[in-house]
């Protein structure tokens, strides 16, 4: 039986506007408006739509039904770790204790919040083997930028002028982008036949210009960089720093610690590894852990424990400064903290099942699909990558078509066309929160779609059939950008 | 408690089948043994009830106060229905809408956020969010430099210290120099003469804020925009979008880029995060190409029905990598949805009303504070929005202590005798009267 | 564009069970189990399904998407007053203040709750013109039963043996059912050509045997019983009591008060008149207001205000006793109270718009549909009734088919086949919270469906086409009842 | 505040059009003028914020306590995800599912509630809820009388006074006589000999509870059932469903009708309402025909797919009117959905665990209380579930006062020196130790 997504044919909110309707009314003023210079006054207020509370609710509830989340189905989007978002965390994050404090309120009034942040950073240190953690980055990419800035600051501080950042060819796009924002020239390191960093190439690249290496481990093929010890030596001997892109930390939680592997800087994604919801794109939250020799470069503010009291350090001479206002995405961090204290030592079962699920699913599929590097590297960690290149050559069906066809079965497709080194890549990350039945069902569907590619390619090419919208015209959207109601009207 | 993990991790009984299916027992064999952990780390697992008790015990160490601190974090009332909307599972448990056909709900909601914010700022192109106002300023500086291929960025001396620090972090390594321009000591207005002298062929962008960090409006923003543009630089304006219910929008006076903070329009303050950075530009293809952040656009599906997609992704890191217009990936989408629901609820009339209410109530506060012996407020001859400087004979620390003792938190300090107070729609007349009472009492003692 | 409801093809929850999975784990015991006699011990625990938290969430979220509520669309279900349920009320009802008190906790600890109940009953008195209100009934039907019991008790107390309850032929089915539960013989009073109580028939029925009349005003045709003064005189002169079925109170809020019209007893439905959600069938909450001469018959407990203190009266000599445990459905009552204090004097705009919406919609439809009694009685209050008898005769399409066809347009159909005196009845109650556009859209669709009945009857007969399930076999369900997983398995 | 109504009542600007469309200005002209109101009633309208402040001010007059009161209201922990499920708009804003094709979600959820409860009570037919245990007892008495055409209903003397009052209300006017039967003073067990003598050709039903109001189980329920059935009466058993994780279900010993309270399985106590009345019967066509309340059944749609409908509605008031099996219409559906979500979350193992935990923790409490000088607990030689009687030298009022003073609320009084204490999964060991401390201290003073 095929899935069918709701189609509510909901108009744009501006079209629902009717003069005189109100959806929220604020308190009447108790003060009197000052005289405002005429030149300052807006000619007419912004033309926001006018709706009742019911109109607004119905509109967005209908829209929500036309969206797909982890709570509605399997979401094996590779490298995004779309695990279940526990509801206790949501409830606590919505409580007044989390929502209502101003970050600049007096220390004495926010001791609970400071304690939570401090305790959380301690747990992250324990898990990662790092020595201090900052929770300020609003997201993984901002954490990467921070990591790159710390690398820069470290070398600057040593009077060492290094402007190259090494990045493997399997890296997330944010790595080179963040490096560039931090003023580095990006040097790409190729992968070897094992789907790992080519050690020779790395050694060749490791010069005095190298500020550091941004490594994802396990990498985006789901392959653990087994020569991490060697990599660490090469980079450190060249005077560079070793940075872990922690996007894939879910694979090693409680099994091995980046700090022990020689990483100097690690970033964490709360919305990947620690189960905070992704909100349709955000907010997430990031964190950066560093070894002790880098702690002075961390951004402000830092929180310290002083007996039973928690204090805030607002300035420090070597700090890189600030990345964003205040303490970071507190409401997201608190969810991650609750997740961690709830699981406690069971955290290792998260990585175990994440890895077991990925390997089980890969084995379910390996007869029917090409899995690059499988002969040389038979194990994966939390995710694995299939190549649909042969299907494409044989039938003309692209991996994007296959992805769209999966939608008809009520499954969110895996990541496509990434990593870039695999052609027609399908990057599958089941996560630990899914049952064996869900994995088996996914495998059956993917195999069925492969069959369709050969027997009824038009079915796949015409997909999706059962979603709110059929295949959308991306080219039109780019050629003639309509980005707002204002642009549409004009 | 044994078994807690089973709530989040299934397959306890099917593990054996799965291990034997893949034909190996050690799935972490690829991690060199020297790095593998042999002891469990972390605290004792907790049941749901134990977890809740643990957290609630720590929360008890917080104390709720009536706070007059703002600085970009404005504690506005969030209507219940807005909270209910963003609590919809299909919204909050979804990823970035990479598969548009199955993600029309989030895409349309973000398109509506872009559209509503476009109406407010008066520019047609708004991205679907940045982290916050501060990082939006950093991105704006980088973009100005990219667009103009110049390397100086001018900001007002009166900028918030938080934003200034973030800006410096963002531009530190790419060779952009920050220059500052002062303001008139009486009116607070940005020194347009000094600015005119400061702009040059190196000026990538000129940034100013209205309302300023000190709370008053720039009364002649179009002049400032013109100075920038005449010098071949981009003008960047930082705003509190709510003020645009009363005062001209940056679009009205021709700004190229508008940034600001919108979290307070539909989101609680959450101890300062997440926030919701606005980033808007003119309808200019060249600027659009250089813009950071995600954009949702309208298109059609194969049946000709309107639908929404993330568009112009070629600017982004996952395609363009080190040549991307920004590294931003995860943004603040759900906060943008809350903002869209909130703005649609206020509507045209309600938005203007609320904008005026804030302004009127702030005036009530500064007039009453200013009337207290030993206090001056506001400190500049200008039109104020929600924040205003209070100077006092007593030190800010003394005032803060007095306020703390009755469960209030005063303004953000500027210097020993000056602090910036902030009024939101949560403050009642009684709150302000109580504030004044404490201030009055302070001088008597 | 037609609406399409989601189809998630969700299995029964027992089918999702996998041994060893857990969705909630309670704290470990701190005590030791007593020795339990073997004969007492259950052989094996109940076979409840085993799921993770994610499984449970996903299952019920998917089910919810296959349901239709006011928040997803127009719901003009006649006599049910499916108005918008304001979200502030939901949020407050979920707060710990509402959820966490035990009804028998000491008076001093529950003063807030007692005050809320007391204040609420005062407002209901004001609105209805009654003198005391009890909030105990769990629902409208239980309130009716209580009303009937009070009538019985009143006559018993007077040593007056009366065993007949008069009920108009337009009455809700609960009226006769509740009367019967209270030991009354039900005597039906016919309607006249104006769609109102036939005064002559009423007068003829009004004997010394008559305990009371249960009247709905406006009645279920949406017609105000204009001769209410006469009705009141007839009943009272016969020694009976006049009871208002308050299901339709939304029509007269702030316009006229039942107390002023001579009603001795009035019931209220929180989930109709006062906007509390109906929860897919409940919980609702009822209330009964009485004139002062009946207050001693009210159920226990009663709440009194004594200075600033609120006290509970647990026993009283003439009380009918108790209807259900404790104070009634507090969590529902609180929502209704918030609704009322929020609207305050604006309550009259609720009834105005409810009535205007109904009359507007009726006028939009009167050219195309038969509306009984319209010639004699041109005004309706909050609802109106269409007869589809002619369409049925002409085309064979029943009003139930028409109702099912409406589902395809994303609209919940009106009540069908009620009131019983109208053939092929369609009972339409738009409520005040809907916009003119929604009404216009509804009218257009109904007219379109009428056209379909004549031109493409198979389209209507085959409806619904776009809902989670197509037309369901009611006869099969009755003939071979499968009422649980247990029955299905066995 | 002017305009507050507009949030809930639209069409402010379209009223004129609508009035003129219908061609009349006075739409209340059919109400005799003598009854029409000419002044507005009610308090000043409040904005959302004002409303919240108003309510919160009243809530401040409540005080949260650790309560040991039960009596059918058991304050169990409700997992967050259960709350989230019943907060789904499509569930809570829907009416009774009269249109099954568009209401499959609620129907399936209710079918699942019926099914889960059927597993627990051991009978295959459970309706989709009644108001509460008390009214379920009233309905059961009425049904027994309908089925047997007899007019006596036997209940234990030890029944909860709340339930007894409700029962009397329900049967008062239809000529059913309530007879009571006592219990053994040592074991608390229902006096089966007395019961045997009491049953007769007029006995419509025999009701007993296990656990009883005093908290212990009937150790020989099958004997009681048999006595009823041998007399041609129906046996009705009242239960706490949670106890069926440990003890035999009424289905195991052949009960005809099972009633009870299930609100505590997934719902907060809400100051006593809403509750969730269980009503279950044997698979007997005659009983089924006579059963009160709504039933959801499985059927197929025109494409042959499984689907759910409300079935056997011919029993109900909206069809059968005065000959209906009950007047019930609105029931407690959403509480039943919460219960279904909760039970599925506990699962087979968790349900048994929780059942045992309650029993073990209650034992911890009564053993420790019983060990205090001047206190006796529990008072009968029997197996207890969650509630137990505590006798003390001091009066219940003295004990209550001492407990109140430290924010606790003691048991439900039975007489001056006896109260029934209740243990739920929210009580910690520390709570009980504190309770014992107060009790111990009371006697010292």
């Amino acid at each position: 039986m095929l899935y069918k997504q709701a189609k509510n044919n909901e108009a744009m909110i501006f079209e629902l506007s009717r003069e005189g309707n109100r959806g929220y009314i604020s308190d009447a003023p108790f003060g009197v408006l000052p005289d405002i210079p005429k030149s300052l006054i807006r000619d007419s207020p912004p033309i926001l739509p006018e709706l009742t509370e019911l109109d607004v609710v119905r509109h967005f509830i209908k829209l929500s039904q036309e969206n797909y989340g982890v709570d509605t189905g399997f979401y094996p989007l590779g490298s995004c770790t779309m695990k279940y978002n526990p509801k206790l965390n949501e409830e606590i994050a919505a409580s007044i204790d989390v929502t209502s404090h101003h970050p600049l309120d007096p220390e004495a009034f926010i001791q609970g919040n400071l304690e939570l942040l401090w305790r959380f950073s301690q747990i992250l240190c324990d898990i990662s083997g790092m020595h201090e953690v900052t929770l300020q980055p609003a997201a993984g990419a901002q954490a990467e930028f921070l990591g790159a800035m710390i690398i820069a600051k470290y070398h600057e501080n040593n009077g060492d002028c290094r402007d190259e950042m090494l990045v493997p060819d399997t890296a997330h796009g944010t790595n080179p982008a963040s490096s560039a924002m931090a003023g580095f020239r990006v040097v790409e390191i190729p992968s070897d036949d094992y789907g790992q960093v080519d050690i020779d190439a790395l050694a060749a690249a490791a010069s005095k210009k190298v500020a550091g290496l941004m490594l994802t481990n396990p990498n985006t093929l789901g392959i653990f960089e087994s020569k991490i010890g060697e990599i660490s030596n090469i980079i450190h001997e060249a005077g560079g720093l070793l940075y872990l892109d922690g996007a894939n930390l879910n694979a090693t939680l409680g099994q091995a610690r980046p700090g022990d592997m020689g990483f100097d800087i690690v970033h964490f994604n709360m919305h990947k590894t620690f189960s905070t919801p992704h909100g349709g794109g955000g907010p997430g939250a990031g964190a950066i852990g560093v070894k002790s020799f880098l702690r002075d470069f961390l951004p402000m503010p830092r929180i310290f424990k002083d007996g039973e009291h928690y204090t805030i350090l607002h300035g420090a001479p070597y700090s890189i400064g600030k990345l964003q206002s205040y303490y970071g995405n507190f409401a997201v961090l608190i969810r991650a903290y609750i997740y961690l204290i709830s699981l406690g030592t069971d955290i290792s079962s998260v990585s175990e099942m994440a890895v077991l699920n990925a390997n089980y699913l890969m084995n379910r599929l390996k007869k029917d699909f090409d899995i690059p590097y499988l002969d040389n590297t038979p194990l994966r960690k939390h995710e694995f990558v299939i190549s649909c290149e042969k299907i494409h050559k044989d039938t003309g069906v692209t991996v994007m078509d296959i992805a769209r066809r999966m939608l008809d079965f009520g499954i969110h497709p895996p990541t496509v066309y990434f990593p870039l080194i695999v052609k027609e890549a399908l990057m599958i990350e089941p996560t630990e929160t899914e049952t064996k039945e869900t994995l088996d069902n996914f495998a059956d569907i993917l195999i069925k779609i492969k069959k369709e590619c050969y027997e009824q390619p038009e079915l796949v090419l015409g997909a999706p059939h059962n979603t709110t919208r059929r295949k959308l015209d991306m080219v039109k959207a780019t050629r003639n950008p309509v980005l707002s109601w204002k642009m549409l009207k004009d | 408690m044994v078994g807690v993990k089973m709530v989040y991790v299934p397959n306890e009984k099917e593990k054996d089948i799965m291990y034997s299916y893949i034909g190996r027992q050690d799935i972490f064999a690829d991690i060199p043994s020297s790095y593998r952990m042999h002891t469990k780390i972390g605290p004792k697992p907790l049941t749901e009830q134990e977890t809740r008790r643990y957290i609630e015990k720590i929360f008890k160490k917080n104390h709720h106060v009536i706070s007059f601190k703002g600085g970009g974090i404005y504690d506005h009332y969030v209507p219940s229905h807005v909270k209910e909307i963003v609590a919809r599972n299909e919204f909050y448990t979804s990823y970035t809408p990479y598969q548009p056909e199955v993600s029309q709900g989030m895409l349309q909601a973000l398109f509506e956020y872009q559209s509503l914010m476009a109406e407010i700022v008066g520019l047609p192109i708004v991205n679907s969010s940045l982290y916050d106002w501060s990082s939006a300023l950093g991105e704006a500086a980088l973009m100005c430099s990219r667009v103009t291929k110049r390397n100086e960025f001018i900001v007002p001396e009166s900028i918030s210290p938080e934003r200034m620090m973030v800006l410096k972090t963002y531009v530190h390594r790419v060779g952009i120099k920050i220059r500052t321009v002062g303001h008139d000591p009486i009116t607070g207005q940005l020194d347009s003469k000094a600015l005119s002298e400061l702009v040059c062929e190196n000026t990538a962008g000129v940034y100013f804020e209205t309302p300023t960090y000190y709370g008053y409006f720039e009364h002649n923003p179009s002049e400032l925009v013109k100075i920038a543009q005449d010098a071949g630089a981009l003008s960047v304006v930082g705003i509190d979008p709510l003020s645009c219910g009363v005062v001209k929008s940056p679009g009205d006076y021709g700004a190229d880029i508008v940034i600001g903070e919108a979290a307070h329009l539909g989101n609680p303050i959450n101890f300062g995060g997440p926030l919701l950075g606005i980033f808007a530009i003119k309808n200019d293809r060249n600027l659009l190409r250089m813009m950071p952040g995600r954009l949702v656009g309208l298109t059609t599906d194969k049946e000709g029905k309107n639908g929404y997609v993330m568009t112009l992704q070629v600017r982004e890191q996952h395609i363009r990598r080190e040549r991307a217009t920004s590294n931003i990936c995860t943004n603040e989408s759900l906060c943008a949805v809350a903002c869209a629901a909130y703005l649609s609820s206020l509507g045209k009339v309600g938005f203007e009303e609320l904008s005026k209410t804030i302004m009127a109530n702030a005036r009530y506060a500064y007039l009453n504070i200013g009337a207290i012996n030993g206090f001056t407020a506001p400190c500049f001859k200008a039109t104020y929005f929600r924040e205003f400087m209070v100077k006092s004979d007593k030190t800010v620390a003394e005032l803060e202590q007095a306020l703390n003792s009755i469960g209030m938190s005063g303004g953000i300090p500027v210097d020993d005798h000056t602090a910036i107070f902030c009024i939101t729609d949560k403050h009642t007349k009684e709150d302000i009267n109580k504030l004044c009472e404490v201030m009055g009492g302070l001088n008597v003692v």
Side-chain angles (χ1 to χ4, degrees), chain A, chain B:
Chain A
M1 294 209 290
L2 292 181
Y3 158 84
K4 294 208 178 156
Q5 196 178 28
K7 291 191 201 186
N8 292 313
N9 303 312
E10 189 61 7
M12 220 178 290
I13 197 145
F14 293 87
E15 300 173 272
L16 301 173
S17 176
R18 292 299 173 261
E19 199 189 339
N21 287 344
R22 303 286 288 270
Y24 172 68
I25 291 178
S26 52
D27 288 4
F30 47 81
V32 176
L33 209 59
D35 288 331
I36 309 169
K38 249 212 166 137
S39 62
L40 210 54
I41 294 181
R42 189 168 180 147
D43 294 332
S44 66
I47 309 300
L48 304 183
E50 299 174 66
L51 297 93
T52 63
E53 187 176 314
L54 169 58
D55 294 336
V56 174
V57 167
R58 217 178 251 172
H59 176 71
F60 285 100
I61 299 303
K62 284 184 183 173
L63 290 190
S64 74
Q65 288 187 335
E66 297 181 343
N67 215 51
Y68 187 101
V70 171
D71 285 358
T72 52
F74 188 37
Y75 215 126
L77 196 66
S79 243
C80 298
T81 315
M82 292 298 281
K83 60 169 77 175
Y84 176 61
N85 313 125
K87 304 314 174 199
L88 172 66
N89 310 356
E90 293 306 306
E91 191 184 352
I92 294 179
S95 71
I96 192 172
D97 287 292
V98 173
T99 58
S100 72
H101 295 282
H102 193 286
L104 296 180
D105 278 338
E107 250 178 48
F109 292 176
I110 54 174
Q111 283 293 303
N113 285 357
L114 296 177
E115 179 171 343
L116 287 166
L117 292 172
W118 186 85
R119 284 178 182 264
F120 185 28
S121 63
Q122 293 306 305
I123 291 191
L124 291 181
C125 285
D126 288 349
I127 285 176
S128 61
M130 308 306 284
H131 301 137
E132 188 163 332
V133 160
T134 176
L135 302 169
Q136 188 172 89
Q142 206 183 32
E144 289 179 18
F145 174 56
L146 171 58
M149 290 298 291
I150 290 172
I151 293 173
K153 192 88 181 180
Y154 166 80
H155 293 303
E156 266 177 35
N157 205 45
N158 292 343
D160 197 354
C161 186
R162 291 165 178 261
D163 71 343
E164 285 182 7
M165 186 69 82
L166 307 185
V167 174
D169 58 5
T170 51
H172 296 109
T174 43
N175 290 177
S178 302
S179 301
M181 277 177 72
F184 290 110
R185 207 160 61 75
V186 175
V187 178
E188 198 171 90
I189 308 296
S191 297
D192 65 12
D193 296 343
Y194 293 78
Q196 302 182 25
V197 168
D198 184 319
I199 290 289
D200 296 337
L202 181 68
S207 71
K208 284 212 181 290
K209 288 192 195 158
V210 169
L213 167 67
M214 293 185 94
L215 187 69
T216 308
N217 194 17
N219 66 29
T220 60
L221 294 161
I223 293 172
F224 191 85
E225 300 279 354
S226 298
K227 284 172 248 160
I228 178 62
E230 236 173 300
I231 292 171
S232 170
N233 287 340
I234 291 169
I235 293 299
H236 287 127
E237 276 166 22
L241 295 180
L242 190 58
Y243 175 98
L244 179 71
D245 176 328
N248 296 347
L249 265 180
N250 210 45
T252 53
L253 281 177
Q255 308 290 347
R257 308 196 305 173
D260 300 340
M261 298 175 205
F263 286 99
D264 303 299
I265 306 177
V266 175
H267 97 244
F268 306 85
N269 292 80
M270 302 307 149
H271 48 284
K272 293 183 178 178
T273 313
F274 304 122
S275 85
T276 72
H278 200 265
I288 281 281
V290 296
K291 289 284 171 66
S292 53
F293 71 97
L294 295 172
R295 61 167 43 126
D296 288 342
F297 305 120
L298 288 173
M300 291 299 110
R302 282 160 72 192
I303 299 167
F304 290 93
K305 189 178 182 193
D306 179 10
E308 287 306 296
H309 189 77
Y310 295 84
T311 57
I312 308 162
L313 181 68
H314 283 289
Y318 300 109
S319 167
I320 64 100
K322 256 181 203 295
L323 270 182
Q324 73 149 0
S325 322
Y326 310 104
Y327 300 102
N329 284 353
F330 182 72
V332 179
L333 297 166
I334 188 81
R335 289 170 167 94
Y337 176 60
I338 298 166
Y339 176 74
L340 278 174
I341 61 161
S342 172
L343 275 165
T345 49
D346 281 347
I347 195 77
S348 59
S349 66
V350 165
S351 50
E352 183 193 356
M353 194 53 67
V355 172
L356 183 57
N357 274 355
N359 282 283
Y360 173 76
L361 186 52
M362 179 175 73
N363 279 278
R364 281 283 271 109
L365 292 169
K366 70 180 178 189
K367 262 205 338 265
D368 295 275
F369 292 89
D370 293 332
I371 300 173
Y373 309 104
L374 194 60
D375 293 340
N376 286 338
T377 310
L379 259 183
R380 291 293 178 278
K381 296 270 78 54
H382 63 298
E383 68 188 356
F384 62 99
V385 178
I386 282 174
S387 171
C388 296
E389 192 182 6
K390 186 169 184 313
I391 298 172
H392 180 47
K393 279 190 182 152
D394 291 348
T395 69
V397 176
T398 66
V399 71
M400 185 55 103
D401 297 319
I402 293 172
R404 286 201 197 93
R405 178 61 180 154
M406 299 194 79
L407 298 173
D408 288 334
F409 296 88
I411 289 177
H412 196 286
T415 300
V416 291
Y417 297 121
F418 190 80
L420 305 177
I421 60 167
V422 175
K423 291 200 175 131
E424 298 290 319
L426 201 57
M427 185 191 198
I428 303 167
E429 181 181 13
T431 86
E432 75 281 4
T433 58
E434 299 292 339
T435 60
K436 179 173 170 294
E437 285 66 38
T438 299
L439 307 184
D440 286 333
N441 181 48
F442 175 86
D444 293 344
I445 288 168
L446 200 57
I447 292 165
K448 182 183 155 78
I449 293 174
K450 182 189 168 185
K451 222 176 140 199
E452 289 178 352
C453 289
Y454 286 89
E455 295 172 5
Q456 302 170 272
E458 68 292 350
L459 200 60
V460 184
L461 292 166
H465 304 268
N466 302 330
T467 46
T468 304
R469 285 290 174 270
R470 303 292 302 277
K471 187 173 164 180
L472 286 152
D473 188 340
M474 304 297 284
V475 174
K476 180 178 174 185
T478 306
R479 289 226 179 115
N480 177 26
V482 178
L483 303 169
S484 62
W485 175 248
K486 208 184 243 301
M487 286 176 89
L488 187 66
K489 276 184 307 184
D490 295 347
Chain B
M1 165 96 203
V2 176
V4 168
K5 63 179 181 187
M6 289 189 290
V7 171
Y8 301 148
V9 184
N11 302 340
E12 191 60 28
K13 300 269 164 157
E14 319 212 52
K15 269 163 71 170
D16 290 347
I17 304 169
M18 295 169 79
Y19 272 112
S20 76
Y21 185 85
I22 65 173
R24 54 179 76 230
Q25 286 304 313
D26 185 359
I27 52 178
F28 294 98
D30 49 358
I31 303 182
S33 60
S34 58
Y35 302 133
R36 291 181 66 177
M37 299 173 71
H38 301 291
T39 50
K40 296 209 162 196
I41 45 165
K44 187 174 80 74
L46 302 177
T47 64
E48 183 167 329
Q49 271 207 84
E50 287 166 346
T51 306
R52 186 186 285 270
R53 282 189 212 108
Y54 182 93
I55 294 286
E56 282 173 357
K57 202 171 154 189
I58 300 178
F59 277 147
K60 288 231 168 78
K61 301 179 187 175
N62 288 327
H63 299 282
H64 291 281
V65 287
I66 295 165
S67 180
F68 292 96
K69 292 187 167 68
I73 311 284
Y74 304 123
D75 188 12
H76 272 243
Y77 183 79
V78 181
S80 297
H81 71 280
V82 172
K83 295 183 207 167
E84 197 163 312
I85 287 166
V86 292
R88 288 287 296 183
N89 304 69
E90 299 92 331
F91 279 148
Y92 84 80
T93 73
S94 67
Y95 204 74
T96 304
Y98 288 129
Q99 291 291 339
E101 294 84 2
V102 83
S103 310
Q104 285 298 296
M106 179 52 69
L107 286 162
Q108 184 171 339
L110 291 175
F111 184 87
E112 290 175 350
Y113 161 76
Q114 294 176 179
S115 298
L116 291 158
M117 197 52 74
E119 296 294 332
I120 290 170
V121 303
L123 297 178
I125 300 174
V126 181
N127 76 16
S128 69
S129 70
L130 293 181
Y131 308 133
D132 70 343
W133 187 348
S134 297
S135 59
L137 175 57
E139 296 278 10
L142 295 175
M143 176 172 159
C144 288
S145 177
R146 268 197 308 277
V147 170
T148 61
K149 302 195 169 56
R150 297 173 173 188
N151 68 349
E152 285 184 12
F153 192 72
I154 301 175
V155 304
E157 270 174 15
S158 63
I159 190 175
S160 124
E162 291 270 336
R163 284 196 282 279
M164 186 66 162
M165 280 182 83
V166 173
L167 172 62
K168 284 182 174 167
T169 305
Y170 267 76
V171 304
H172 172 67
R173 289 273 302 170
V174 291
I176 297 175
K177 287 196 198 77
I178 303 297
R179 308 227 172 247
T180 60
V181 58
H183 51 270
D184 183 278
I186 306 299
T187 66
Q189 301 296 304
L190 200 72
D191 186 339
S192 55
K193 199 154 157 267
L195 177 62
S196 300
E197 286 161 15
L198 205 58
V199 291
C200 64
E201 71 286 356
N202 294 330
T203 308
V206 174
Y207 173 65
F208 65 89
E209 302 183 339
T210 180
T212 65
Y213 180 59
Y214 299 141
Y216 51 83
F217 290 107
E218 292 291 349
H219 285 225
N220 202 354
S222 57
E223 185 192 4
L224 305 177
V225 165
K226 194 165 178 300
I227 293 171
Q229 290 170 345
D230 285 350
L234 293 171
S235 63
V236 182
V237 183
I239 58 157
D240 177 343
L242 186 54
S243 69
C244 294
V246 177
V247 303
K248 283 203 187 327
S249 76
D252 290 333
Y253 45 83
D256 299 297
I257 298 175
V258 174
I259 62 171
E261 180 56 58
H264 50 289
L265 301 173
N267 298 275
I269 52 173
N270 286 322
F271 201 49
L275 295 167
L276 176 57
I278 303 169
F279 200 101
I281 60 166
K282 272 188 187 171
N283 192 356
D284 175 314
R285 193 82 194 189
N286 190 38
L287 293 184
L288 180 56
R289 236 172 16 93
M290 295 289 189
M291 181 181 194
R294 297 216 142 116
L295 289 164
V296 176
L298 185 66
T299 185
T300 47
D301 77 355
K302 66 180 279 188
E303 292 174 345
K305 285 187 186 158
N306 277 347
Y308 303 87
V309 294
M310 290 200 300
T311 190
L312 300 159
Q313 294 189 60
V314 72
R315 298 167 300 113
E316 294 183 45
Q317 36 68 34
H318 63 287
I319 293 180
R320 185 157 291 191
R321 299 177 79 85
E322 63 267 31
R323 281 163 300 126
T325 58
S326 166
N327 71 337
I328 194 166
C329 183
T330 288
N331 56 21
E332 314 287 306
S333 293
L334 199 65
C335 303
V337 176
C339 182
Y342 179 73
L343 291 174
S344 324
S345 300
L346 276 178
K348 187 180 70 161
V349 178
F351 188 75
E352 186 180 7
E353 268 179 19
L354 179 57
S355 188
K356 286 182 172 169
T357 294
I358 292 295
M359 210 160 164
N361 290 356
R363 179 169 175 271
Y364 177 89
Y366 63 66
L367 286 187
N368 279 280
I369 293 170
I372 300 168
N373 198 12
F375 283 85
T376 312
C379 300
F380 294 102
K381 283 205 168 149
T383 306
Y384 279 82
F385 185 54
R386 73 159 83 234
E387 285 168 297
F388 50 87
M389 261 160 65
V390 173
K391 277 188 200 298
S392 57
D393 296 350
K394 298 277 170 179
T395 65
V396 170
E398 283 169 304
L399 175 58
E400 183 72 11
Q401 207 181 357
L403 288 170
N404 288 179
S405 72
I406 59 153
M408 283 188 160
S409 169
I412 298 176
V414 174
D415 61 37
D416 282 356
H417 289 270
T418 318
I420 304 167
F421 280 70
C422 162
I423 301 299
T424 76
D425 67 354
K426 279 196 177 169
H427 292 114
T428 62
K429 193 172 177 178
E430 291 67 40
D431 294 337
I432 292 171
N433 291 348
K434 206 167 154 194
L435 171 70
C436 292
E437 212 176 279
V438 175
M439 288 172 161
L442 203 66
N443 265 5
V444 173
V445 179

